[in-house]
Amino acid sequence: MEEVDRAIVAGLTADGRMSYTDLAEKVGLSVSAVHQRVRRLEQRGVITGYTARVSYDALELPLTAFVAVRPFDPSQPDDAPERLAHLAEIESCYSVAGEDFYLLLVRVASPADLERVLQEIRTSANVTTRTTVVLSTPYEGRPPRISRDPD
Amino acid sequence: MEEVDRAIVAGLTADGRMSYTDLAEKVGLSVSAVHQRVRRLEQRGVITGYTARVSYDALELPLTAFVAVRPFDPSQPDDAPERLAHLAEIESCYSVAGEDFYLLLVRVASPADLERVLQEIRTSANVTTRTTVVLSTPYEGRPPRISRDPD
DNA sequence: ATTGAAAGCTTTTTCTT
DNA sequence: AAGAAAAAGCTTTCAAT
């Protein structure tokens, strides 16, 4: 990926609503050239979308937990991610190496809600769970280092 | 939080670059009313920013890992998050309940890079690490359910 | 691949209810 | 809080290089 594209991606991860005008100034190209490059980055799947970042506390989802999941019966076909996808409380699902099969990131309003979601996870996917409660989040979702240069 | 504000947040988490014109239509208010509400949501810290979502594979960071961290010497003051903040490979840092103190989400280019980052984590923060490699990501960063209504 | 220019929208501000 | 309107600014497309 070219340097200009990296600069564009860096700009849009730092401010997803930055205008093409500002981006163009930042990367030193004309507005229309930047516009075309952004379209290409989107089409190539380098940029996959745009979102607002939110405060989960403000949205009344103050309790975050990691839920490690493994099949109750490891001989059964493993389709846990699809079986769990309907649970809106699961923000992310990672397939992992190690003793657990999946690691889920869950956001809920209360311990009672967490209990309910854990039950739903177990019954939906025939799995056992091991839950790690998040106490605080020093930082989260920092943008990646986009240039390839040395540290 | 009011229903209109929830609809606005839902719109902007689904598409962070949605125009105020489209948002206004979606929530059934005038453009300037929506604009004012978005500004308020930003000022109140409900919306904390906007970002582009990216493909980590395309950005040449195809290896994701969770790194559980605990102090080498638990009697020392614990300021691991600040000591680790300079490592750009750490996307997120969660303080967790349980035997580990922190859970880090790390993105790197290669196993060799992961090895280097783990060494940097251990020496920067005087901690031991236990690493879980992510094999694939069925889904990640799904928007939260924003309305408070029953399932 | 990049540019500049034109048309059409969007954002932002101000004023009014 | 919400709306309307106007000015400024931005996006998008197109023809040219």
Side-chain angles (χ1 to χ4, degrees):
Chain A
M1 207 165 82
E2 286 170 66
E3 197 47 42
V4 180
D5 285 334
R6 291 183 181 279
I8 289 170
V9 172
L12 288 173
T13 52
D15 176 4
R17 278 181 89 84
M18 187 182 286
S19 71
Y20 294 123
T21 307
D22 288 354
L23 254 185
E25 193 159 317
K26 187 179 140 79
V27 310
L29 239 66
S30 71
V31 173
S32 30
V34 166
H35 188 253
Q36 192 183 187
R37 276 174 184 269
V38 171
R39 289 180 75 81
R40 268 234 261 298
L41 289 165
E42 289 168 356
Q43 281 168 1
R44 285 167 46 204
V46 177
I47 293 171
T48 59
Y50 302 90
T51 42
R53 303 185 131 290
V54 295
S55 156
Y56 294 97
D57 281 5
L59 292 181
E60 295 161 274
L61 295 170
L63 178 45
T64 298
F66 285 96
V67 180
V69 148
R70 66 183 82 172
F72 192 75
D73 174 358
S75 71
Q76 289 286 109
D78 174 10
D79 53 355
E82 301 98 278
R83 285 172 167 281
L84 296 173
H86 70 100
L87 295 171
E89 293 87 351
I90 303 176
E91 180 178 303
S92 303
C93 171
Y94 301 93
S95 169
V96 293
E99 290 169 51
D100 298 310
F101 280 42
Y102 298 99
L103 196 57
L104 311 176
L105 175 45
V106 167
R107 312 251 190 207
V108 292
S110 65
D113 264 29
L114 180 56
E115 182 175 37
R116 177 184 55 72
V117 170
L118 290 172
Q119 284 166 0
E120 289 175 352
I121 289 169
R122 289 192 285 258
T123 60
S124 296
N126 250 271
V127 293
T128 61
T129 59
R130 208 163 32 78
T131 298
T132 301
V133 169
V134 172
L135 302 171
S136 71
T137 302
Y139 35 90
E140 186 174 33
R142 303 196 301 179
R145 194 173 28 55
I146 270 129
S147 112
R148 185 217 308 279
D149 310 1
D151 284 286
Chain B
M1 206 167 79
E2 285 172 66
E3 196 49 41
V4 180
D5 285 333
R6 292 184 179 278
I8 289 170
V9 173
L12 288 173
T13 52
D15 176 5
R17 277 182 90 84
M18 186 182 287
S19 73
Y20 294 125
T21 308
D22 289 353
L23 254 186
E25 194 160 317
K26 187 180 140 78
V27 308
L29 240 65
S30 72
V31 171
S32 30
V34 166
H35 186 252
Q36 191 182 190
R37 277 175 182 268
V38 171
R39 288 180 76 80
R40 267 234 263 300
L41 289 165
E42 289 168 356
Q43 281 168 1
R44 285 168 46 203
V46 178
I47 293 171
T48 58
Y50 302 89
T51 43
R53 303 185 130 289
V54 296
S55 158
Y56 293 96
D57 281 5
L59 291 181
E60 295 162 90
L61 295 170
L63 179 44
T64 298
F66 286 96
V67 180
V69 148
R70 67 183 82 172
F72 191 75
D73 174 359
S75 72
Q76 290 285 110
D78 172 12
D79 52 355
E82 302 97 277
R83 285 171 166 280
L84 296 172
H86 70 101
L87 295 172
E89 293 87 349
I90 303 177
E91 180 177 303
S92 304
C93 171
Y94 301 92
S95 168
V96 293
E99 291 170 50
D100 299 309
F101 279 43
Y102 298 100
L103 195 55
L104 311 176
L105 175 44
V106 167
R107 312 249 190 208
V108 291
S110 65
D113 263 30
L114 180 55
E115 183 176 35
R116 176 184 54 73
V117 171
L118 289 172
Q119 284 167 0
E120 289 175 354
I121 288 170
R122 288 191 286 257
T123 60
S124 296
N126 250 271
V127 293
T128 61
T129 60
R130 207 162 34 77
T131 299
T132 301
V133 169
V134 172
L135 303 171
S136 71
T137 303
Y139 35 90
E140 188 176 33
R142 303 195 303 180
R145 193 168 32 53
I146 270 129
S147 112
R148 183 217 311 276
D149 310 1
D151 286 285

